[in-house]
Amino acid sequence: MPLKVTDLAVARGGRSVMSGVSFEVAAGAALILRGPNGAGKTTLLRTIAGLQPPLSGHIAGARETIAYAGHADGLKAMLSVRENLDFWAQVFGQDDIEAAIAAYKLQPLQDRLAGTLSAGQKRRLGLARLMVTGRSIWVLDEPTVSLDTDAVALFAAAVTAHLNANGSALIATHIDLGLDAGSLDLAPYRSATDLRIGASDEAFL
Amino acid sequence: MIALLRRDLLLALRAGGGFGLGLAFFLIVTVLVPFSVGPQSDLLTIIAPGVLWLGALLACLLSLDRLLALDFEDGTLDLLVTAPLPLEAALSIKALSHWLTTGLPLVVASPVLGVMLNLAPGGFVWLVASLALGTPALSVIGTFGAALTVGIKRGGLLMSLLVLPLYVPTLIFGAEVARRGAVGLDAGTPLTLLAGITLATIGLMPFASAAVLRMTLR
């Protein structure tokens, strides 16, 4: 089922940051979101992932199909790499974590505690988590932060494999992943007026 | 659900997990009481049930701010909300693992501390029964407090202020069961009320906790 966003407006901290956003991501396709800092990429992705309600507009096809990866990886420092992946696989009702370990070359690290990994290694583990969710739409917020070029290539390969398996991906990033994907610039959708400006109590605040 | 419970218990047992922290606090508080009120054993007998209950309650409170804050900081909570597991179930499991790592050890240790406070011989059974029935409510209500303050930096003190008033009914009836048992009165009525409070909180609180957590995560 394609992810379809219609005339969406999202808010952060009670202020509208973006409105009128519409796009569709079909199965097997990816969409790259671009926009300057503060454009509302994270807020948009959190809204699509269901972490916060939209101000207005409609999101179709997102329930129970989304695997979200934000700025934090959701790893437990005192669990090993394998235990971390096992936990998420079980939460999502899956049991195979070997493919994810292989895709991100985590074999040499699999018995290390996640707390002893470097930032880039943690990120690789965080991205490997997506593969054990069994979900079809990946919603990724700056997935390549702290990854080196080799790891970015691993990530791009994993996304390509996911797309070939009829999955889809919505990625906010600034670097070129070399994916065959459409791109959407979010800058034009930025809310022109702050909703509070002109409100009657403004002079008193 | 089992996976979440197993993970939480494993994390509590590993280094830095805080298992036994509440128990150690309970031990120290009850050991300090005879020092502060003096060595009159008949006075200790009178106050023992109340002191043990208050100690257990504070020990439960101590570990609450770790309950959700750690998962919030490393992003696990965001990912759990998007997981197929209902948030209500996840929070019930969190409360259960808190009880298994904090409340249950207190229940088990309480008779030993009862001896130290010269608790009347007839009171031990009732003390253990009241703690076993009452501490689950402390964990479930505590989860609600933790969900309410999870987004606030250093919200531990605020959470204590919010949670302690909610603990009052449990404390009143729990300590009353232990007191009545110790002096040989019938403790059936407060025990029934205590069980009622616990069952009601277990049944209703997870929904409130999940609702406020969804709000704080926005």
Side-chain angles (χ1 to χ4, degrees):
Chain A
M1 186 176 177
L3 173 69
K4 194 166 170 19
V5 170
T6 321
D7 202 20
L8 190 71
V10 298
R12 181 176 168 85
R15 287 179 47 198
S16 164
V17 291
M18 198 186 283
S19 54
V21 184
S22 299
F23 58 81
E24 186 173 339
V25 187
L31 182 67
I32 310 285
L33 298 178
R34 298 186 193 279
N37 290 148
K41 299 187 292 294
T42 297
T43 311
L44 177 65
L45 292 181
R46 285 180 67 87
T47 308
I48 291 170
L51 288 166
Q52 60 179 68
L55 268 186
S56 64
H58 194 65
I59 304 166
R63 286 278 136 229
E64 304 288 314
T65 54
I66 277 188
Y68 172 72
H71 295 290
D73 290 315
L75 305 174
K76 286 291 165 195
M78 293 311 294
L79 294 180
S80 73
V81 167
R82 178 169 278 277
E83 285 167 334
N84 268 300
L85 278 180
D86 256 333
F87 165 68
W88 285 113
Q90 284 168 16
V91 166
F92 283 88
Q94 307 287 315
D95 45 22
D96 179 33
I97 63 166
E98 301 305 330
I101 288 182
Y104 285 95
K105 299 214 166 84
L106 292 168
Q107 294 96 332
L109 305 170
Q110 58 180 328
D111 294 318
R112 285 252 300 269
L113 291 182
T116 65
L117 300 179
S118 77
Q121 289 168 334
K122 275 184 193 161
R123 194 75 222 190
R124 264 154 67 195
L125 176 53
L127 293 171
R129 184 188 63 81
L130 293 166
M131 297 183 65
V132 304
T133 58
R135 293 278 176 95
S136 59
I137 303 174
W138 289 0
V139 174
L140 311 178
D141 194 0
E142 300 285 0
T144 55
V145 170
S146 67
L147 290 182
D148 59 20
T149 20
D150 289 348
V152 170
L154 289 178
F155 168 66
V159 173
T160 308
H162 178 64
L163 297 182
N164 288 339
N166 227 13
S168 49
L170 183 63
I171 307 171
T173 184
H174 287 103
I175 68 161
D176 185 17
L177 293 168
L179 293 172
D180 176 26
S183 123
L184 177 72
D185 186 6
L186 291 175
Y189 299 106
R190 202 163 180 169
S191 290
T193 50
D194 187 321
L195 287 185
R196 281 189 194 161
I197 291 176
S200 59
D201 56 352
E202 196 206 6
F204 303 99
L205 294 174
Chain B
M1 281 173 80
I2 304 287
L4 183 60
L5 181 64
R6 186 145 24 113
R7 186 202 67 147
D8 275 0
L9 294 180
L10 198 63
L11 282 172
L13 289 171
R14 293 221 170 141
F19 179 71
L21 214 64
L23 184 60
F25 180 81
F26 186 41
L27 279 168
I28 290 173
V29 167
T30 39
V31 167
L32 287 181
V33 169
F35 292 144
S36 63
V37 302
Q40 301 121 300
S41 54
D42 46 342
L43 177 62
L44 283 176
T45 304
I46 297 170
I47 63 169
V51 167
L52 286 167
W53 249 94
L54 195 59
L57 186 142
L58 292 176
C60 267
L61 194 67
L62 193 68
S63 50
L64 279 180
D65 64 334
R66 307 171 57 99
L67 187 68
L68 294 174
L70 294 180
D71 277 348
F72 177 70
E73 280 159 18
D74 63 20
T76 307
L77 225 42
D78 279 351
L79 302 178
L80 270 182
V81 172
T82 55
L85 190 64
L87 198 53
E88 289 81 2
L91 288 171
S92 303
I93 291 292
K94 286 258 159 209
L96 175 63
S97 72
H98 178 261
W99 183 73
L100 287 175
T101 53
T102 310
L104 192 59
L106 297 181
V107 175
V108 174
S110 60
V112 182
L113 294 169
V115 173
M116 218 141 63
L117 292 180
N118 200 24
L119 184 68
F124 284 93
V125 175
W126 294 106
L127 176 71
V128 173
S130 65
L131 281 175
L133 268 178
T135 45
L138 301 183
S139 290
V140 176
I141 297 170
T143 308
F144 172 72
L148 206 55
T149 55
V150 73
I152 304 168
K153 292 253 185 292
R154 288 173 194 78
L157 185 62
L158 177 63
M159 188 195 60
S160 307
L161 291 176
L162 290 169
V163 163
L164 279 174
L166 299 176
Y167 277 179
V168 169
T170 308
L171 177 67
I172 289 175
F173 291 111
E176 182 67 5
V177 172
R179 189 192 68 81
R180 283 184 168 229
V183 297
L185 292 171
D186 174 34
T189 310
L191 194 68
T192 315
L193 282 165
L194 182 66
I197 292 168
T198 302
L199 291 175
T201 52
I202 290 175
L204 299 175
M205 271 301 190
F207 294 96
S209 310
V212 295
L213 187 60
R214 283 200 187 93
M215 253 177 258
T216 44
L217 282 182
R218 265 175 208 175

